[in-house]
């Protein structure tokens, strides 16, 4: 069974979001998503400074099985990317909620309101079961 963390907000597209500090959130893909993808071999990131809207494509994740798009669960501006994944994309498999995070984003508007639009762990569990 896939690991879910109660403090995270989840999207139907299998991304998670964590409020880090102020307007900044951290985003990654869920444990369920990395299990479905299999061994991840490459992660394509947006650029720091890129602005976007909720639902826009953030980048892609390539595994030995397939290439999948990653979507922004909130609107805002990229403030940081997890450069470690360029040399160690397998961290997304090993630590999807820790070392395998993808980007940090400064949310446009109210962070709590943006997160309320997403699923709780219980709501996401219903999506993947």
């Amino acid at each position: 069974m896939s690991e879910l963390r109660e403090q995270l907000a989840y999207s139907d597209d299998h991304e998670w979001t964590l409020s880090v500090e102020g307007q900044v959130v951290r985003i990654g893909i869920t444990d369920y998503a990395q299990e479905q993808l299999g061994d991840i071999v490459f992660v394509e990131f947006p650029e720091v400074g890129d602005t976007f809207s909720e639902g826009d494509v953030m980048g892609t994740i390539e595994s030995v099985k397939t290439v999948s798009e990653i979507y922004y669960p909130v609107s805002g501006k990229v403030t940081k990317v997890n450069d470690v994944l360029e040399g160690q994309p397998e961290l997304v498999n090993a630590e999807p909620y820790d070392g395998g995070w993808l980007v940090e984003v400064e949310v446009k508007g109210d962070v709590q309101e943006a997160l309320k639009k997403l699923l709780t762990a219980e709501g996401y569990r219903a999506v993947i079961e």
Side-chain angles (χ1 to χ4, degrees), residues 78-98:
V78 176
T79 58
K80 188 176 188 179
V81 298
N82 188 355
D83 293 331
V84 173
L85 298 180
E86 290 177 12
Q88 298 178 348
E90 66 277 4
L91 275 176
V92 176
N93 292 116
E95 303 176 10
Y97 300 120
D98 298 309

Side-chain angles (χ1 to χ4, degrees), residues 11-117:
S11 74
D12 288 338
D13 294 315
H14 311 290
E15 290 86 20
W16 58 263
T17 304
L18 173 67
S19 181
V20 179
E21 183 180 343
Q23 291 291 108
V24 178
V25 298
R26 183 172 284 170
I27 299 170
I29 67 167
T30 64
D31 189 38
Y32 174 82
Q34 69 80 20
E35 287 172 353
Q36 298 303 305
L37 288 168
D39 294 335
I40 294 170
V41 296
F42 180 75
V43 180
E44 175 192 32
F45 293 105
E47 297 288 323
V48 171
D50 283 356
T51 58
F52 52 86
S53 296
E54 174 187 335
D56 286 353
V57 174
M58 176 191 311
T60 58
I61 289 190
E62 184 177 338
S63 72
V64 294
K65 295 197 274 187
T66 188
V67 176
S68 293
E69 290 184 328
I70 314 161
Y71 301 94
Y72 289 106
V74 296
S75 298
K77 179 173 81 171
V78 176
T79 58
K80 188 176 188 179
V81 298
N82 188 355
D83 293 331
V84 173
L85 298 180
E86 290 177 12
Q88 298 178 348
E90 66 277 4
L91 275 176
V92 176
N93 292 116
E95 303 176 10
Y97 300 120
D98 298 309
W101 62 274
L102 303 175
V103 298
E104 288 186 358
V105 166
E106 184 177 339
V107 175
K108 180 180 179 183
D110 185 273
V111 173
Q112 295 309 314
E113 286 300 315
L115 295 178
K116 283 181 187 175
K117 293 180 184 178

